[in-house]
Amino acid sequence: AIRNLLMNARDAAPNGGKIELAIDYKYVSNPRVHNSEAEPGIYVTLGIRDDGDGIGEEHINRIFEPFFTTKPVGKGTGMGLSVVYGIMQRHGGWIEVNSGREKGSTFTLYFPQVHDRIEILPLPYHELETSIPACNGTKVATQGLLLN
């Protein structure tokens, strides 16, 4: 989900730009407006903000629909945001978007706080390898830490 949002942010600024990540938490008293299975409580949020082209009013209500895309033929399938939406819903969370043409976009993921102890098993090194497309000098800022 996060990788998809980062790639969309990169694509929204083809001539370069800034992508910022912010992690926070907040108490949500009525999360069922966003996810009928969500429970009131503390949610960890991950905000991904870009200063790209933004999403116009004519498209904002359709971005989570399967196969909806504004990208040229061959550049996108229209499945990325619908998959992110589905992942968040299945895990008791949700995704919100704030965007406007020429104003960039902010996607905020809401993850329910986990109270159970989780054991994380390390993966062999070769399973961790991945290739991330070049970002043409775009920098990612996370809570005061700037990554190239």
Side-chain angles (χ1 to χ4, degrees):
I2 296 167
R3 180 178 176 170
N4 177 279
L5 292 173
L6 289 172
M7 289 173 62
N8 282 355
R10 177 204 61 196
D11 294 348
N15 298 320
K18 186 167 57 171
I19 298 171
E20 296 176 331
L21 303 175
I23 297 172
D24 203 353
Y25 64 93
K26 60 176 68 172
Y27 180 83
V28 181
S29 59
N30 190 14
R32 291 200 172 120
V33 236
H34 306 287
N35 181 339
S36 62
E37 303 294 317
E39 296 291 332
I42 296 176
Y43 285 79
V44 176
T45 63
L46 171 63
I48 299 174
R49 182 168 60 108
D50 67 66
D51 60 358
D53 296 334
I55 304 165
E57 283 184 37
E58 70 276 17
H59 299 301
I60 198 78
N61 292 326
R62 299 192 60 206
I63 62 171
F64 297 118
E65 292 178 14
F67 305 110
F68 177 78
T69 184
T70 59
K71 293 179 181 178
V73 175
K75 296 290 183 181
T77 63
M79 292 302 293
L81 288 176
S82 74
V83 168
V84 172
Y85 178 87
I87 288 169
M88 295 307 297
Q89 292 288 308
R90 279 190 301 281
H91 287 88
W94 64 92
I95 181 171
E96 294 179 359
V97 62
N98 184 351
S99 187
R101 183 80 58 211
E102 307 290 325
K103 295 181 179 173
S105 300
T106 300
F107 286 85
T108 305
L109 301 171
Y110 284 75
F111 298 93
Q113 183 181 30
V114 177
H115 298 287
D116 298 332
R117 185 179 176 103
I118 297 175
E119 184 176 349
I120 300 174
L121 301 174
L123 293 173
Y125 180 75
H126 68 279
E127 291 183 34
L128 296 175
E129 292 180 17
T130 184
S131 67
I132 298 174
C135 293
N136 300 327
T138 300
K139 295 182 184 256
V140 177
T142 73
Q143 296 280 329
L145 175 64
L146 193 57
L147 306 174
N148 286 326

